[in-house]
Amino acid sequence: MKDRVYIIVFMVVLAAVFGGAVAGIYLSSQSVLTRNKELRIQRAYLEVFGIIEDQIALDEVGPLVERRIELGETVVDPETGDDFQVIKGYADDAHEELIGVAFQFRGLGLWGPIEGLLAMTPDRTQTLGLVILDQKETPGLGGRIEEPIFTEPFEDGVKIAAPSDDVDKIIEISSTKPDPQSPMAPRHVMAITGATQTSMAMDRILNENLAAFHRAMDPK
């Protein structure tokens, strides 16, 4: 009888010890994951405005964000109710030279949600950069939306049509390159080869979010 009690007590203690260890590891890893996510977003703020392009020490990211990035007001699209925080990037610490404005976009891709940041000139007529924060697309295919092959055109400056221009698309992502003389040419981004569905999803996500952001910024 005593042996049975001893075994039961031993098993309970052992389970408690291992359970506590697992819980500790989980809580510790969650803290690290949360911190890494915060650093990723902060770095994305700097990347999307072209404030940094090369490697930067982790302890320099936060202070640089505080000096060059302003997380402004939240605006709401009167049509859909979607809200956007207006993110401003500055070329100087005194916030005298505005690089542009950005917002976080989200939408459904082929395999899951896609989230990112899109930066534009202060007048919102041309892109400055695009950074993908999260995506679940196929590695080597749709997953390449976070690589330079897809993001660099946005850094070079894709024209953005204003809602008042009465166009079907604010920008276009497709595998068919328009005629250079076409009004769509400056607003066109080449789709990723072999990732038609993801490219179509990005076309829809960016157009829907750009339209909503325009309405939120310029409510009638």
Side-chain angles (χ1 to χ4, degrees):
M1 183 66 177
K2 290 183 179 180
D3 290 341
R4 287 185 179 180
V5 173
Y6 173 79
I7 292 173
I8 292 173
V9 171
F10 176 77
M11 293 301 294
V12 170
V13 171
L14 190 63
V17 170
F18 279 101
V22 171
I25 293 172
Y26 173 78
L27 292 174
S28 176
S29 64
Q30 285 298 107
S31 176
V32 171
L33 290 173
T34 299
R35 177 55 179 162
N36 287 343
K37 184 177 181 180
E38 291 175 352
L39 284 171
R40 172 58 181 147
I41 292 176
Q42 287 185 323
R43 183 181 175 85
Y45 290 154
L46 302 172
E47 290 176 346
V48 79
F49 288 112
I51 296 174
I52 60 169
E53 295 180 358
D54 301 320
Q55 294 296 319
I56 179 175
L58 292 180
D59 59 356
E60 295 178 6
V61 173
L64 188 55
V65 167
E66 290 182 4
R67 300 199 309 270
R68 299 290 185 85
I69 301 297
E70 178 184 321
L71 301 179
E73 62 177 332
T74 296
V75 295
V76 180
D77 174 16
E79 184 174 309
T80 65
D82 293 338
D83 60 271
F84 301 90
Q85 184 174 36
V86 181
I87 305 162
K88 297 180 179 180
Y90 291 88
D92 62 300
D93 294 353
H95 288 195
E96 294 179 350
E97 185 180 347
L98 179 65
I99 298 173
V101 297
F103 68 92
Q104 187 167 339
F105 63 83
R106 63 193 66 82
L108 187 62
L110 177 60
W111 299 114
I114 295 175
E115 296 184 18
L117 291 172
L118 181 68
M120 300 164 283
T121 52
D123 60 4
R124 290 179 277 132
T125 61
Q126 187 169 311
T127 65
L128 292 174
L130 179 142
V131 174
I132 300 298
L133 296 171
D134 187 43
Q135 55 88 13
K136 304 293 189 299
E137 303 305 282
T138 306
L141 293 173
R144 301 191 73 191
I145 55 173
E146 62 184 13
E147 298 179 9
I149 189 174
F150 184 73
T151 61
E152 278 187 351
F154 294 92
E155 299 172 13
D156 296 336
V158 178
K159 295 293 183 182
I160 300 172
S164 58
D165 291 343
D166 191 27
V167 294
D168 293 333
K169 289 185 177 182
I170 297 175
I171 64 172
E172 181 182 58
I173 300 171
S174 73
S175 57
T176 303
K177 194 170 184 178
D179 185 284
Q181 303 305 317
S182 167
M184 182 57 74
R187 309 202 306 269
H188 180 267
V189 177
M190 288 298 295
I192 298 174
T193 302
T196 302
Q197 295 300 317
T198 299
S199 298
M200 290 173 61
M202 284 301 300
D203 179 272
R204 171 179 46 79
I205 291 169
L206 291 180
N207 274 283
E208 289 178 352
N209 279 268
L210 275 168
F213 185 70
H214 274 308
R215 291 191 297 263
M217 292 291 286
D218 302 312
K220 295 181 180 179

